[in-house]
Amino acid sequence: MKENQQATPDEIKVISEHLDALLGMDVRKPGTAATLPAVIRITETLEPAGGKDFPVFPPSYAGEGTNAPPVYDLNGIEWGEVLRESAKDGTKRFTRYVRRARHCTMDSPQSQANRTEIAFRDDSELRALVPQAEAKIPRKLELDDQAKTNLLALPHRVADFRVRASNQKNEAAAAIKAFAKGDALLLLRLMPTSIVFGFWDSRAEGYQHKHARVLLTRIDAFGVVPCERHSVYTGPYSKDECAAVVLGNENLAQELKEDDEQTKAGKEARKEAEEWADRMAKRGFSNALDAGLGGVFAERIERLALISLTDIASIYCFKTEETAAGASPDSESLKNREPDKELTNAARRYLLALSLLAENYPRSTGSYRLRSGCELLPVKQERAILGSGNNSEHVNALKELCGNRESLIAVARAAHEILKIPVDLPLFESDKNSLKSDLEQGKTKKADKVAKPKQGAKAPPASGEPEAKNQAN
């Protein structure tokens, strides 16, 4: 089948059979799974829009210590021998220059996930593949236009506080608990992108499930040389003229004269003069000098995407008529169930299709526009399916599917129907009382804290929930 040509029902059936031969319940069993591919790896060489001869700007992070200047996320640093002394906010610092670094983070997995997930909000063809809904929280009257947020823009997905404290918190908690116990169906019908991009329900009561990303993407630079930026703002006044004309203070003006090296005033007067000079510069009345991070020169920039077929093959779905009727996932009637083959295989095909469509979305916009001074253009792309069985007809079919948007959409739609995933969900609405209650839970926890057991005794669980083992993220 040609790339981006719409798939017929018969072609979708054939593609589904190939995927089931790689991911299905019949083949993904201990022992036999080792003969199948484990990961799809997509690497992409990127180039700054300005070219390699111009610096590109990575994200900056807070430095160590109070009032420390921002830093880049550098690894494998080769330090220079020159020391620089600086004083800011009354603190004296000695800084070693970074001569070179082996690696610099250009866009972290967390940031890439948030940029990529909105494909299912912004792309008209992808919107129908996942449930659409909004979360609403109370805001000030002047910020009322910001009260609603699309669920796909929530940074913590199903574990976000706008879900946890909403009128649908019980449904979300039930979906997470069922997923932690091995049944993905409720979460697929609520927020399937939480499985693709991962979540950590770290603030839940009695359980804190953590699910690793099925799709992990990141952008990194290698062989980087950090640059320093210097800038000057030119104000309309000199500091002494501002003191004389605007403040009407000739004594202060005399103290601030740029050519007056020997000041006549005492220490306190000089300190006050420096404070005024700083305020003038900050408010734009007078000249202001600045220095800071100036980007990096990079020998190589790459985007890495990993889609874990092993993770996808760990997903199961159960036919739960009882859950549909409102039973808890912990009820006795649901404990000895067997996963449903049709639902499970459909869920795995669905998650693979969503992952491949999401991975391609930022590229489909034309460039990776990460931030001001950091627009990256794709130059070369390589796909590899890693693991065993790479020469099978099923793996060859998967290789063809990876870049075929229309076929991926068709596969996702077909699985969407089998799983009965809704198109839209009700509004996730929080009121003042529910948010206040959530905010005050920390106080309640302190008041109800269980006494520390004696040495050798086992502490009782914090609630009736059994302890959940967290997966590595």
Side-chain angles (χ1 to χ4, degrees):
M1 183 182 151
K2 291 182 180 178
E3 191 169 305
N4 295 333
Q5 180 181 339
Q6 192 164 0
T8 65
D10 288 340
E11 287 171 332
I12 295 171
K13 183 179 177 182
V14 171
I15 293 171
S16 298
E17 289 172 354
H18 283 304
L19 295 181
D20 289 348
L22 297 172
L23 296 170
M25 280 183 61
D26 289 340
V27 296
R28 284 282 173 169
K29 297 177 180 178
T32 58
T35 65
L36 298 169
V39 175
I40 299 173
R41 183 180 67 196
I42 302 168
T43 54
E44 194 168 19
T45 302
L46 306 176
E47 187 175 279
K52 287 189 175 182
D53 293 332
F54 292 90
V56 64
F57 285 78
S60 58
Y61 302 89
E64 293 183 12
T66 307
N67 298 320
V71 296
Y72 293 140
D73 185 12
L74 301 174
N75 297 293
I77 296 174
E78 182 184 326
W79 297 100
E81 297 177 359
V82 179
L83 294 177
R84 177 180 58 189
E85 181 181 340
S86 62
K88 192 173 183 180
D89 300 325
T91 304
K92 187 176 285 187
R93 290 189 179 85
F94 294 90
T95 305
R96 296 179 69 187
Y97 284 99
V98 177
R99 182 177 293 163
R100 187 178 178 83
R102 291 183 62 186
H103 165 264
C104 177
T105 301
M106 300 300 294
D107 218 36
S108 68
Q110 296 89 337
S111 180
Q112 276 283 292
N114 291 335
R115 295 180 196 277
T116 306
E117 187 177 9
I118 57 171
F120 300 103
R121 180 197 68 181
D122 297 344
D123 190 304
S124 58
E125 289 186 296
L126 304 187
R127 280 181 63 87
L129 299 180
V130 302
Q132 297 292 321
E134 289 184 319
K136 183 180 180 182
I137 57 174
R139 303 297 299 260
K140 287 182 177 180
L141 185 62
E142 62 268 25
L143 297 175
D144 192 57
D145 60 330
Q146 300 175 31
K148 288 184 180 180
T149 307
N150 189 289
L151 233 59
L152 296 164
L154 301 182
H156 305 289
R157 289 167 274 283
V158 72
D160 198 276
F161 95 96
R162 280 162 283 198
V163 175
R164 190 183 67 245
S166 75
N167 56 347
Q168 297 189 63
K169 62 183 178 182
N170 293 335
E171 290 83 351
I176 295 172
K177 287 179 182 180
F179 184 71
K181 294 177 184 298
D183 186 359
L185 188 58
L186 289 179
L187 189 53
L188 284 167
R189 290 174 176 173
L190 185 73
M191 291 185 70
T193 55
S194 293
I195 302 177
V196 175
F197 297 102
F199 67 92
W200 183 14
D201 198 19
S202 61
R203 293 177 176 85
E205 288 292 320
Y207 67 96
Q208 293 187 356
H209 186 64
K210 189 175 187 178
H211 171 63
R213 295 178 178 88
V214 168
L215 167 63
L216 184 147
T217 56
R218 58 181 300 144
I219 300 178
D220 299 279
F222 301 91
V224 299
V225 177
C227 305
E228 193 172 76
R229 170 189 57 83
H230 295 272
S231 61
V232 59
Y233 167 81
T234 304
Y237 293 106
S238 64
K239 291 178 174 61
D240 60 306
E241 184 186 7
C242 182
V245 176
V246 179
L247 300 178
N249 189 332
E250 290 294 341
N251 290 334
L252 179 62
Q254 183 65 25
E255 189 71 21
L256 290 172
K257 269 193 176 179
E258 294 176 358
D259 58 352
D260 188 3
E261 296 179 1
Q262 298 292 327
T263 58
K264 299 174 184 178
K267 188 176 181 181
E268 288 299 319
R270 187 60 193 165
K271 182 180 178 183
E272 183 185 2
E274 289 173 353
E275 288 175 355
W276 273 111
D278 188 53
R279 197 177 309 170
M280 291 172 190
K282 284 182 177 179
R283 301 298 296 170
F285 284 73
S286 62
N287 296 354
L289 301 175
D290 191 25
L293 300 174
V296 299
F297 292 110
E299 290 180 1
R300 185 174 92 256
I301 302 176
E302 285 187 356
R303 181 177 186 260
L304 171 68
L306 298 174
I307 299 174
S308 176
L309 302 179
T310 303
D311 272 359
I312 292 175
S314 69
I315 298 298
Y316 292 90
C317 292
F318 295 75
K319 272 189 177 176
T320 54
E321 299 300 328
E322 296 90 341
T323 300
S328 163
D330 301 320
S331 63
E332 288 295 329
S333 60
L334 303 182
K335 282 188 176 178
N336 298 315
R337 298 169 299 145
E338 291 294 327
D340 183 83
K341 179 178 173 181
E342 182 185 16
L343 290 175
T344 297
N345 289 354
R348 294 176 183 183
R349 295 194 300 269
Y350 178 67
L351 291 170
L352 175 62
L354 291 190
S355 299
L356 286 166
L357 287 165
E359 188 281 325
N360 183 61
Y361 174 72
R363 187 184 307 113
S364 70
T365 62
S367 68
Y368 296 96
R369 171 73 174 173
L370 304 181
R371 63 193 65 85
S372 177
C374 189
E375 183 163 5
L376 306 173
L377 303 172
V379 176
K380 183 178 69 173
Q381 183 195 113
E382 293 180 359
R383 291 195 198 105
I385 298 178
L386 308 177
S388 302
N390 280 338
N391 296 322
S392 71
E393 60 171 319
H394 308 302
V395 171
N396 290 333
L398 177 56
K399 289 177 181 177
E400 290 183 15
L401 180 65
C402 283
N404 194 321
R405 176 185 166 97
E406 295 303 322
S407 291
L408 289 168
I409 291 174
V411 168
R413 280 177 182 160
H416 185 281
E417 291 179 14
I418 294 171
L419 296 165
K420 297 181 180 177
I421 296 174
V423 176
D424 297 298
L425 297 172
L427 180 68
F428 286 68
E429 189 167 13
S430 306
D431 58 28
K432 177 183 173 182
N433 292 331
S434 65
L435 293 180
K436 185 179 179 183
S437 174
D438 189 84
L439 195 60
E440 290 175 340
Q441 278 183 3
K443 274 187 173 182
T444 308
K445 281 182 184 177
K446 278 188 177 181
D448 297 339
K449 194 173 181 181
V450 180
K452 189 176 180 181
K454 293 180 181 178
Q455 191 173 2
K458 188 175 181 181
S463 72
E465 277 298 313
E467 295 180 10
K469 291 183 179 179
N470 289 341
Q471 300 179 34
N473 199 5

